[in-house]
Amino acid sequence: MTSRTKILLMVFVGAAVSLGTLVAQAQKKPAIAYPAYPNDPRKWRHVKTMVIFSKDNKLFNRFGGLHNVYVNDIGWPSLKAGKPYPDGSVFALELFDISTPQGAIEPRGRKALYMMKKSSKVYTDTGGWGFEVFQAYQPTGSLKDMKECFSCHAKQKNKDYVYSDYME
Ligand code: HEC
């Protein structure tokens, strides 16, 4: 190998390594930490409750069940005012299985906890929001790709990517 080829090879390997690092960085955004008791979402503001009980609703396969949405104190004033959210705002959607005994709809075990956290400089590919999913009561996130969540939430661009509205 001539020294020129060697140099070229080194430049090529160097470029490949930095490209690899860049790609890895692009995919690996800091995860959202599990909101453990006593600072869990049930301590935050309750935003809304919804029951998706039939296939007539297009979210049934994914989000069938009863869910409660919560927002933390940083996000709450923006929800109320219908304004963009400051960094540190967090929403949580807690989804339960349901049973329907004696004409009532009751929540059963938790299916999953969905979270979104605003950090505009970190989550630049997904509208400034990080997304995460915790299955059942598992404290480790299971989400592979935040874009999967953003594919829907992107439609809410005019509401800073949030679906929920403030209810009087
Ligand atoms: C198929 C479309 C769709 C996908 C995909 C989706 N969402 Fe949502 N998401 C919604 C809708 C619709 C609501 C509003 C539910 C309601 O009105 O109670 C919502 C609400 C939320 C909320 C409460 C805040 C808000 O925007 O109202 C969080 C948190 C949330 N989703 C997280 C996630 C996470 C994490 C993922 C990825 C695993 C995800 N979502 C994927 C449609 C979607």
Side-chain angles (χ1 to χ4, degrees), residues 58-120:
K58 58 184 188 319
L59 299 175
F60 181 75
N61 285 338
R62 266 192 90 144
F63 298 104
L66 182 153
H67 68 246
N68 293 318
V69 176
Y70 301 91
V71 65
N72 71 353
D73 285 347
I74 300 176
W76 161 249
S78 297
L79 177 78
K80 192 154 188 285
K83 295 220 170 102
Y85 292 84
D87 283 0
S89 301
V90 187
F91 276 94
L93 184 154
E94 197 174 27
L95 176 65
F96 298 90
D97 254 332
I98 46 173
S99 66
T100 53
Q102 297 161 359
I105 296 175
E106 281 183 8
R108 306 273 290 185
R110 182 159 90 181
K111 287 170 93 172
L113 174 65
Y114 296 83
M115 299 200 49
M116 47 196 286
K117 177 179 183 179
K118 184 85 178 271
S119 189
S120 48

Short mmCIF file of all heavy atoms in Angstrom, two decimals, residues 58-120:
data_model
loop_
_atom_site.label_atom_id
_atom_site.label_comp_id
_atom_site.label_asym_id
_atom_site.label_seq_id
_atom_site.Cartn_x
_atom_site.Cartn_y
_atom_site.Cartn_z
N LYS A 58 -61.10 5.20 15.27
CA LYS A 58 -59.91 4.71 14.56
C LYS A 58 -58.70 4.52 15.49
O LYS A 58 -57.72 3.89 15.11
CB LYS A 58 -59.56 5.59 13.37
CG LYS A 58 -59.31 7.05 13.67
CD LYS A 58 -59.09 7.78 12.34
CE LYS A 58 -58.64 9.21 12.46
NZ LYS A 58 -59.23 10.06 13.48
N LEU A 59 -58.77 4.98 16.71
CA LEU A 59 -57.67 4.78 17.65
C LEU A 59 -57.85 3.48 18.47
O LEU A 59 -57.01 3.17 19.31
CB LEU A 59 -57.57 5.96 18.63
CG LEU A 59 -57.28 7.35 18.04
CD1 LEU A 59 -57.35 8.40 19.13
CD2 LEU A 59 -55.91 7.37 17.37
N PHE A 60 -58.97 2.75 18.20
CA PHE A 60 -59.31 1.61 19.06
C PHE A 60 -58.18 0.58 19.19
O PHE A 60 -57.86 0.15 20.30
CB PHE A 60 -60.59 0.93 18.55
CG PHE A 60 -61.02 -0.24 19.40
CD1 PHE A 60 -61.63 -0.04 20.63
CD2 PHE A 60 -60.80 -1.54 18.97
CE1 PHE A 60 -62.01 -1.11 21.43
CE2 PHE A 60 -61.19 -2.62 19.77
CZ PHE A 60 -61.79 -2.40 20.98
N ASN A 61 -57.60 0.18 18.06
CA ASN A 61 -56.58 -0.87 18.12
C ASN A 61 -55.39 -0.48 19.00
O ASN A 61 -54.85 -1.31 19.71
CB ASN A 61 -56.09 -1.23 16.72
CG ASN A 61 -57.13 -2.07 16.00
OD1 ASN A 61 -57.98 -2.70 16.65
ND2 ASN A 61 -57.11 -2.04 14.69
N ARG A 62 -55.03 0.77 18.94
CA ARG A 62 -53.85 1.20 19.71
C ARG A 62 -54.17 1.70 21.10
O ARG A 62 -53.45 1.44 22.04
CB ARG A 62 -53.17 2.35 18.96
CG ARG A 62 -52.07 1.87 18.08
CD ARG A 62 -51.30 3.05 17.63
NE ARG A 62 -50.23 3.33 18.56
CZ ARG A 62 -49.07 3.76 18.15
NH1 ARG A 62 -48.83 3.93 16.90
NH2 ARG A 62 -48.12 4.01 19.03
N PHE A 63 -55.28 2.48 21.17
CA PHE A 63 -55.54 3.16 22.44
C PHE A 63 -56.88 2.76 23.04
O PHE A 63 -57.46 3.54 23.81
CB PHE A 63 -55.49 4.68 22.23
CG PHE A 63 -54.15 5.20 21.78
CD1 PHE A 63 -53.93 5.57 20.46
CD2 PHE A 63 -53.09 5.30 22.68
CE1 PHE A 63 -52.69 6.05 20.05
CE2 PHE A 63 -51.85 5.77 22.28
CZ PHE A 63 -51.66 6.14 20.96
N GLY A 64 -57.38 1.56 22.68
CA GLY A 64 -58.65 1.10 23.23
C GLY A 64 -58.56 1.01 24.75
O GLY A 64 -57.58 0.54 25.29
N GLY A 65 -59.62 1.49 25.45
CA GLY A 65 -59.62 1.46 26.91
C GLY A 65 -59.99 2.82 27.45
O GLY A 65 -60.55 3.67 26.74
N LEU A 66 -59.72 3.02 28.73
CA LEU A 66 -60.02 4.30 29.38
C LEU A 66 -58.70 5.02 29.62
O LEU A 66 -57.75 4.41 30.12
CB LEU A 66 -60.72 4.04 30.71
CG LEU A 66 -61.16 5.24 31.55
CD1 LEU A 66 -62.35 4.83 32.42
CD2 LEU A 66 -60.06 5.79 32.44
N HIS A 67 -58.64 6.29 29.23
CA HIS A 67 -57.41 7.02 29.54
C HIS A 67 -57.67 8.34 30.24
O HIS A 67 -58.69 8.99 30.03
CB HIS A 67 -56.51 7.19 28.30
CG HIS A 67 -57.02 8.10 27.24
ND1 HIS A 67 -57.37 7.67 25.98
CD2 HIS A 67 -57.23 9.43 27.22
CE1 HIS A 67 -57.76 8.69 25.25
NE2 HIS A 67 -57.69 9.78 25.98
N ASN A 68 -56.73 8.68 31.10
CA ASN A 68 -56.73 9.98 31.77
C ASN A 68 -55.50 10.72 31.27
O ASN A 68 -54.42 10.15 31.15
CB ASN A 68 -56.60 9.79 33.29
CG ASN A 68 -57.83 9.15 33.88
OD1 ASN A 68 -58.95 9.48 33.51
ND2 ASN A 68 -57.64 8.20 34.78
N VAL A 69 -55.70 12.02 30.99
CA VAL A 69 -54.58 12.85 30.57
C VAL A 69 -54.25 13.83 31.69
O VAL A 69 -55.15 14.39 32.32
CB VAL A 69 -54.91 13.62 29.26
CG1 VAL A 69 -53.77 14.57 28.88
CG2 VAL A 69 -55.20 12.66 28.12
N TYR A 70 -52.95 13.99 31.95
CA TYR A 70 -52.47 14.92 32.99
C TYR A 70 -51.42 15.85 32.41
O TYR A 70 -50.71 15.48 31.47
CB TYR A 70 -51.81 14.15 34.14
CG TYR A 70 -52.71 13.15 34.83
CD1 TYR A 70 -52.75 11.82 34.39
CD2 TYR A 70 -53.51 13.51 35.91
CE1 TYR A 70 -53.57 10.89 35.01
CE2 TYR A 70 -54.33 12.58 36.54
CZ TYR A 70 -54.35 11.27 36.08
OH TYR A 70 -55.17 10.36 36.70
N VAL A 71 -51.31 17.06 32.99
CA VAL A 71 -50.25 17.98 32.60
C VAL A 71 -49.57 18.49 33.87
O VAL A 71 -50.23 18.67 34.90
CB VAL A 71 -50.81 19.15 31.75
CG1 VAL A 71 -51.76 20.03 32.55
CG2 VAL A 71 -49.69 20.00 31.16
N ASN A 72 -48.25 18.71 33.80
CA ASN A 72 -47.56 19.20 35.01
C ASN A 72 -47.75 20.71 35.17
O ASN A 72 -48.34 21.38 34.30
CB ASN A 72 -46.08 18.78 34.99
CG ASN A 72 -45.25 19.53 33.96
OD1 ASN A 72 -45.79 20.29 33.15
ND2 ASN A 72 -43.95 19.31 33.97
N ASP A 73 -47.24 21.26 36.25
CA ASP A 73 -47.49 22.67 36.57
C ASP A 73 -46.84 23.63 35.57
O ASP A 73 -47.30 24.76 35.40
CB ASP A 73 -46.94 22.99 37.97
CG ASP A 73 -47.85 22.44 39.06
OD1 ASP A 73 -48.98 22.05 38.72
OD2 ASP A 73 -47.42 22.39 40.22
N ILE A 74 -45.77 23.17 34.91
CA ILE A 74 -45.11 24.05 33.93
C ILE A 74 -45.99 24.19 32.68
O ILE A 74 -46.10 25.27 32.10
CB ILE A 74 -43.71 23.50 33.55
CG1 ILE A 74 -42.82 23.42 34.80
CG2 ILE A 74 -43.05 24.37 32.48
CD1 ILE A 74 -41.46 22.80 34.58
N GLY A 75 -46.64 23.11 32.30
CA GLY A 75 -47.45 23.13 31.08
C GLY A 75 -48.86 23.67 31.27
O GLY A 75 -49.49 24.15 30.32
N TRP A 76 -49.35 23.59 32.49
CA TRP A 76 -50.74 23.93 32.77
C TRP A 76 -51.17 25.33 32.30
O TRP A 76 -52.20 25.47 31.62
CB TRP A 76 -51.01 23.71 34.26
CG TRP A 76 -52.22 24.39 34.80
CD1 TRP A 76 -52.25 25.43 35.68
CD2 TRP A 76 -53.59 24.08 34.51
NE1 TRP A 76 -53.55 25.79 35.94
CE2 TRP A 76 -54.40 24.99 35.23
CE3 TRP A 76 -54.21 23.14 33.68
CZ2 TRP A 76 -55.78 24.96 35.17
CZ3 TRP A 76 -55.59 23.13 33.61
CH2 TRP A 76 -56.36 24.03 34.35
N PRO A 77 -50.42 26.40 32.60
CA PRO A 77 -50.87 27.73 32.16
C PRO A 77 -51.00 27.83 30.63
O PRO A 77 -51.91 28.51 30.14
CB PRO A 77 -49.76 28.67 32.67
CG PRO A 77 -49.09 27.92 33.77
CD PRO A 77 -49.16 26.49 33.37
N SER A 78 -50.14 27.13 29.89
CA SER A 78 -50.22 27.19 28.43
C SER A 78 -51.45 26.45 27.92
O SER A 78 -52.08 26.87 26.96
CB SER A 78 -48.97 26.56 27.79
OG SER A 78 -47.85 27.29 28.16
N LEU A 79 -51.77 25.34 28.57
CA LEU A 79 -52.97 24.60 28.17
C LEU A 79 -54.20 25.49 28.37
O LEU A 79 -55.06 25.60 27.50
CB LEU A 79 -53.12 23.33 29.02
CG LEU A 79 -54.38 22.52 28.75
CD1 LEU A 79 -54.24 21.69 27.48
CD2 LEU A 79 -54.73 21.60 29.92
N LYS A 80 -54.23 26.16 29.50
CA LYS A 80 -55.38 27.00 29.84
C LYS A 80 -55.49 28.18 28.86
O LYS A 80 -56.56 28.53 28.42
CB LYS A 80 -55.23 27.52 31.28
CG LYS A 80 -56.48 28.14 31.81
CD LYS A 80 -56.52 28.05 33.33
CE LYS A 80 -57.86 28.49 33.88
NZ LYS A 80 -58.05 29.92 33.85
N ALA A 81 -54.32 28.76 28.52
CA ALA A 81 -54.33 29.94 27.66
C ALA A 81 -54.29 29.59 26.17
O ALA A 81 -54.41 30.47 25.32
CB ALA A 81 -53.13 30.82 28.01
N GLY A 82 -54.11 28.30 25.84
CA GLY A 82 -54.01 27.89 24.44
C GLY A 82 -52.76 28.46 23.77
O GLY A 82 -52.80 28.84 22.61
N LYS A 83 -51.68 28.50 24.52
CA LYS A 83 -50.42 29.07 23.99
C LYS A 83 -49.36 27.97 23.84
O LYS A 83 -49.49 26.91 24.46
CB LYS A 83 -49.89 30.10 24.99
CG LYS A 83 -50.79 31.31 25.13
CD LYS A 83 -49.93 32.56 25.24
CE LYS A 83 -50.73 33.82 25.13
NZ LYS A 83 -50.99 34.46 26.41
N PRO A 84 -48.27 28.22 23.08
CA PRO A 84 -47.18 27.23 22.98
C PRO A 84 -46.58 26.93 24.36
O PRO A 84 -46.60 27.78 25.24
CB PRO A 84 -46.15 27.92 22.09
CG PRO A 84 -46.92 28.94 21.32
CD PRO A 84 -48.03 29.39 22.23
N TYR A 85 -46.08 25.72 24.49
CA TYR A 85 -45.61 25.23 25.80
C TYR A 85 -44.14 25.56 26.05
O TYR A 85 -43.31 25.38 25.15
CB TYR A 85 -45.84 23.72 25.89
CG TYR A 85 -47.30 23.39 25.94
CD1 TYR A 85 -48.06 23.29 24.78
CD2 TYR A 85 -47.96 23.23 27.15
CE1 TYR A 85 -49.42 23.02 24.80
CE2 TYR A 85 -49.32 22.96 27.20
CZ TYR A 85 -50.04 22.87 26.03
OH TYR A 85 -51.39 22.62 26.07
N PRO A 86 -43.79 26.00 27.27
CA PRO A 86 -42.37 26.23 27.59
C PRO A 86 -41.64 24.90 27.83
O PRO A 86 -42.28 23.89 28.13
CB PRO A 86 -42.44 27.04 28.89
CG PRO A 86 -43.74 26.67 29.51
CD PRO A 86 -44.68 26.33 28.39
N ASP A 87 -40.32 24.93 27.72
CA ASP A 87 -39.52 23.74 28.03
C ASP A 87 -39.81 23.29 29.45
O ASP A 87 -39.97 24.12 30.35
CB ASP A 87 -38.02 24.05 27.88
CG ASP A 87 -37.60 24.10 26.42
OD1 ASP A 87 -38.48 23.89 25.55
OD2 ASP A 87 -36.42 24.33 26.16
N GLY A 88 -39.86 21.98 29.63
CA GLY A 88 -40.16 21.44 30.96
C GLY A 88 -41.62 21.02 31.09
O GLY A 88 -41.98 20.34 32.05
N SER A 89 -42.46 21.42 30.12
CA SER A 89 -43.87 20.98 30.15
C SER A 89 -43.92 19.48 29.90
O SER A 89 -43.20 18.97 29.04
CB SER A 89 -44.67 21.67 29.03
OG SER A 89 -44.63 23.06 29.17
N VAL A 90 -44.77 18.78 30.64
CA VAL A 90 -44.91 17.33 30.45
C VAL A 90 -46.38 16.97 30.45
O VAL A 90 -47.15 17.42 31.30
CB VAL A 90 -44.20 16.52 31.55
CG1 VAL A 90 -44.22 15.02 31.22
CG2 VAL A 90 -42.76 16.96 31.75
N PHE A 91 -46.78 16.15 29.48
CA PHE A 91 -48.11 15.55 29.45
C PHE A 91 -47.98 14.05 29.67
O PHE A 91 -47.00 13.44 29.23
CB PHE A 91 -48.76 15.76 28.07
CG PHE A 91 -49.45 17.08 27.90
CD1 PHE A 91 -48.78 18.15 27.34
CD2 PHE A 91 -50.77 17.24 28.30
CE1 PHE A 91 -49.41 19.38 27.18
CE2 PHE A 91 -51.42 18.46 28.14
CZ PHE A 91 -50.74 19.53 27.58
N ALA A 92 -48.96 13.46 30.33
CA ALA A 92 -48.99 12.02 30.51
C ALA A 92 -50.38 11.52 30.17
O ALA A 92 -51.38 12.17 30.49
CB ALA A 92 -48.63 11.66 31.95
N LEU A 93 -50.43 10.39 29.51
CA LEU A 93 -51.70 9.74 29.19
C LEU A 93 -51.63 8.33 29.77
O LEU A 93 -50.78 7.54 29.36
CB LEU A 93 -51.91 9.73 27.67
CG LEU A 93 -53.21 9.18 27.11
CD1 LEU A 93 -53.50 9.81 25.74
CD2 LEU A 93 -53.21 7.67 26.98
N GLU A 94 -52.46 8.09 30.77
CA GLU A 94 -52.44 6.79 31.44
C GLU A 94 -53.62 5.97 30.90
O GLU A 94 -54.78 6.36 31.06
CB GLU A 94 -52.57 7.03 32.95
CG GLU A 94 -52.16 5.83 33.77
CD GLU A 94 -52.14 6.12 35.27
OE1 GLU A 94 -52.87 7.01 35.72
OE2 GLU A 94 -51.40 5.41 35.98
N LEU A 95 -53.30 4.85 30.26
CA LEU A 95 -54.32 4.05 29.57
C LEU A 95 -54.60 2.74 30.33
O LEU A 95 -53.67 1.99 30.63
CB LEU A 95 -53.83 3.74 28.15
CG LEU A 95 -54.70 2.84 27.28
CD1 LEU A 95 -56.05 3.49 26.97
CD2 LEU A 95 -53.97 2.51 25.97
N PHE A 96 -55.88 2.50 30.62
CA PHE A 96 -56.29 1.29 31.34
C PHE A 96 -57.17 0.41 30.46
O PHE A 96 -57.93 0.90 29.63
CB PHE A 96 -57.14 1.68 32.56
CG PHE A 96 -56.41 2.51 33.56
CD1 PHE A 96 -56.43 3.89 33.47
CD2 PHE A 96 -55.70 1.92 34.60
CE1 PHE A 96 -55.75 4.68 34.40
CE2 PHE A 96 -55.02 2.70 35.52
CZ PHE A 96 -55.04 4.07 35.42
N ASP A 97 -57.09 -0.90 30.72
CA ASP A 97 -58.08 -1.81 30.16
C ASP A 97 -59.40 -1.49 30.84
O ASP A 97 -59.41 -0.94 31.94
CB ASP A 97 -57.69 -3.25 30.54
CG ASP A 97 -57.15 -3.99 29.35
OD1 ASP A 97 -57.53 -3.66 28.22
OD2 ASP A 97 -56.33 -4.91 29.57
N ILE A 98 -60.51 -1.90 30.19
CA ILE A 98 -61.79 -1.65 30.86
C ILE A 98 -62.59 -2.94 31.01
O ILE A 98 -62.42 -3.89 30.23
CB ILE A 98 -62.67 -0.62 30.10
CG1 ILE A 98 -62.70 -0.91 28.59
CG2 ILE A 98 -62.23 0.78 30.36
CD1 ILE A 98 -63.68 -0.05 27.83
N SER A 99 -63.47 -2.95 31.98
CA SER A 99 -64.47 -4.01 32.07
C SER A 99 -65.81 -3.27 32.21
O SER A 99 -65.85 -2.11 32.61
CB SER A 99 -64.22 -4.91 33.27
OG SER A 99 -64.41 -4.18 34.45
N THR A 100 -66.89 -3.96 31.81
CA THR A 100 -68.20 -3.28 31.82
C THR A 100 -69.22 -4.09 32.62
O THR A 100 -70.19 -4.60 32.08
CB THR A 100 -68.71 -3.09 30.38
OG1 THR A 100 -68.69 -4.36 29.71
CG2 THR A 100 -67.87 -2.11 29.61
N PRO A 101 -68.99 -4.20 33.94
CA PRO A 101 -69.94 -4.96 34.74
C PRO A 101 -71.16 -4.10 35.07
O PRO A 101 -71.02 -2.89 35.31
CB PRO A 101 -69.14 -5.26 36.02
CG PRO A 101 -68.19 -4.11 36.12
CD PRO A 101 -67.92 -3.62 34.74
N GLN A 102 -72.32 -4.70 35.03
CA GLN A 102 -73.56 -4.04 35.47
C GLN A 102 -73.72 -2.62 34.98
O GLN A 102 -73.96 -1.68 35.74
CB GLN A 102 -73.62 -4.07 37.01
CG GLN A 102 -73.68 -5.49 37.52
CD GLN A 102 -73.29 -5.60 38.98
OE1 GLN A 102 -72.95 -4.61 39.64
NE2 GLN A 102 -73.33 -6.79 39.52
N GLY A 103 -73.56 -2.47 33.68
CA GLY A 103 -73.83 -1.16 33.07
C GLY A 103 -72.84 -0.06 33.38
O GLY A 103 -73.10 1.11 33.09
N ALA A 104 -71.70 -0.42 33.97
CA ALA A 104 -70.70 0.61 34.28
C ALA A 104 -69.41 0.32 33.50
O ALA A 104 -69.15 -0.82 33.14
CB ALA A 104 -70.40 0.63 35.77
N ILE A 105 -68.64 1.36 33.24
CA ILE A 105 -67.33 1.16 32.62
C ILE A 105 -66.28 1.39 33.69
O ILE A 105 -66.19 2.48 34.25
CB ILE A 105 -67.13 2.14 31.44
CG1 ILE A 105 -68.15 1.84 30.34
CG2 ILE A 105 -65.70 2.03 30.90
CD1 ILE A 105 -68.12 2.82 29.19
N GLU A 106 -65.54 0.35 33.99
CA GLU A 106 -64.55 0.44 35.07
C GLU A 106 -63.14 0.26 34.54
O GLU A 106 -62.90 -0.61 33.71
CB GLU A 106 -64.80 -0.66 36.11
CG GLU A 106 -65.93 -0.34 37.04
CD GLU A 106 -66.10 -1.42 38.10
OE1 GLU A 106 -65.24 -2.32 38.19
OE2 GLU A 106 -67.10 -1.35 38.81
N PRO A 107 -62.19 1.06 35.05
CA PRO A 107 -60.80 0.82 34.65
C PRO A 107 -60.25 -0.44 35.32
O PRO A 107 -60.63 -0.76 36.45
CB PRO A 107 -60.08 2.07 35.16
CG PRO A 107 -60.94 2.64 36.22
CD PRO A 107 -62.34 2.19 35.96
N ARG A 108 -59.42 -1.17 34.58
CA ARG A 108 -58.75 -2.36 35.14
C ARG A 108 -57.26 -2.07 35.17
O ARG A 108 -56.87 -0.96 35.38
CB ARG A 108 -59.06 -3.57 34.25
CG ARG A 108 -60.54 -3.80 34.04
CD ARG A 108 -61.13 -4.63 35.11
NE ARG A 108 -60.66 -6.00 35.02
CZ ARG A 108 -61.10 -6.97 35.78
NH1 ARG A 108 -62.01 -6.73 36.69
NH2 ARG A 108 -60.64 -8.20 35.64
N GLY A 109 -56.45 -3.09 34.94
CA GLY A 109 -54.98 -2.89 34.99
C GLY A 109 -54.50 -1.87 33.96
O GLY A 109 -55.13 -1.69 32.91
N ARG A 110 -53.40 -1.22 34.28
CA ARG A 110 -52.85 -0.23 33.36
C ARG A 110 -52.22 -0.93 32.16
O ARG A 110 -51.41 -1.84 32.31
CB ARG A 110 -51.80 0.62 34.08
CG ARG A 110 -51.23 1.69 33.15
CD ARG A 110 -50.62 2.81 33.93
NE ARG A 110 -49.21 2.58 34.20
CZ ARG A 110 -48.44 3.42 34.90
NH1 ARG A 110 -48.97 4.51 35.42
NH2 ARG A 110 -47.19 3.16 35.11
N LYS A 111 -52.58 -0.46 30.96
CA LYS A 111 -51.97 -1.01 29.75
C LYS A 111 -50.62 -0.32 29.51
O LYS A 111 -49.63 -0.97 29.22
CB LYS A 111 -52.88 -0.77 28.53
CG LYS A 111 -54.12 -1.66 28.51
CD LYS A 111 -55.09 -1.24 27.45
CE LYS A 111 -54.91 -1.98 26.15
NZ LYS A 111 -56.02 -1.67 25.19
N ALA A 112 -50.63 1.00 29.61
CA ALA A 112 -49.38 1.73 29.34
C ALA A 112 -49.50 3.17 29.81
O ALA A 112 -50.60 3.69 30.00
CB ALA A 112 -49.06 1.70 27.85
N LEU A 113 -48.35 3.79 29.99
CA LEU A 113 -48.27 5.21 30.31
C LEU A 113 -47.53 5.89 29.16
O LEU A 113 -46.38 5.54 28.86
CB LEU A 113 -47.51 5.40 31.62
CG LEU A 113 -47.22 6.83 32.05
CD1 LEU A 113 -48.52 7.57 32.36
CD2 LEU A 113 -46.31 6.85 33.28
N TYR A 114 -48.21 6.82 28.49
CA TYR A 114 -47.61 7.55 27.37
C TYR A 114 -47.21 8.93 27.86
O TYR A 114 -47.98 9.58 28.55
CB TYR A 114 -48.63 7.73 26.23
CG TYR A 114 -49.05 6.42 25.61
CD1 TYR A 114 -50.05 5.66 26.20
CD2 TYR A 114 -48.44 5.95 24.46
CE1 TYR A 114 -50.42 4.44 25.64
CE2 TYR A 114 -48.82 4.73 23.90
CZ TYR A 114 -49.81 3.99 24.50
OH TYR A 114 -50.16 2.79 23.96
N MET A 115 -46.01 9.37 27.47
CA MET A 115 -45.57 10.68 27.94
C MET A 115 -44.99 11.51 26.82
O MET A 115 -44.41 10.98 25.87
CB MET A 115 -44.51 10.51 29.03
CG MET A 115 -45.10 9.76 30.21
SD MET A 115 -44.21 9.96 31.72
CE MET A 115 -43.96 11.68 31.88
N MET A 116 -45.15 12.82 26.93
CA MET A 116 -44.44 13.74 26.05
C MET A 116 -43.91 14.92 26.85
O MET A 116 -44.60 15.45 27.72
CB MET A 116 -45.27 14.19 24.85
CG MET A 116 -46.67 14.63 25.11
SD MET A 116 -47.67 14.70 23.59
CE MET A 116 -47.02 16.18 22.81
N LYS A 117 -42.65 15.26 26.60
CA LYS A 117 -41.97 16.29 27.37
C LYS A 117 -41.35 17.31 26.43
O LYS A 117 -40.66 16.95 25.47
CB LYS A 117 -40.87 15.63 28.21
CG LYS A 117 -40.05 16.61 29.00
CD LYS A 117 -39.02 15.88 29.82
CE LYS A 117 -38.24 16.86 30.68
NZ LYS A 117 -37.26 16.21 31.51
N LYS A 118 -41.58 18.60 26.71
CA LYS A 118 -41.05 19.66 25.84
C LYS A 118 -39.61 20.00 26.22
O LYS A 118 -39.31 20.29 27.39
CB LYS A 118 -41.93 20.91 25.97
CG LYS A 118 -41.55 22.05 25.04
CD LYS A 118 -42.20 21.85 23.68
CE LYS A 118 -41.92 22.97 22.70
NZ LYS A 118 -42.87 24.06 22.79
N SER A 119 -38.74 19.92 25.22
CA SER A 119 -37.35 20.35 25.40
C SER A 119 -36.90 20.75 24.00
O SER A 119 -36.39 19.93 23.23
CB SER A 119 -36.52 19.22 25.98
OG SER A 119 -35.26 19.70 26.34
N SER A 120 -37.14 22.02 23.66
CA SER A 120 -37.07 22.43 22.25
C SER A 120 -35.69 22.29 21.62
O SER A 120 -35.59 22.08 20.42
CB SER A 120 -37.59 23.85 22.11
OG SER A 120 -37.01 24.68 23.08
#
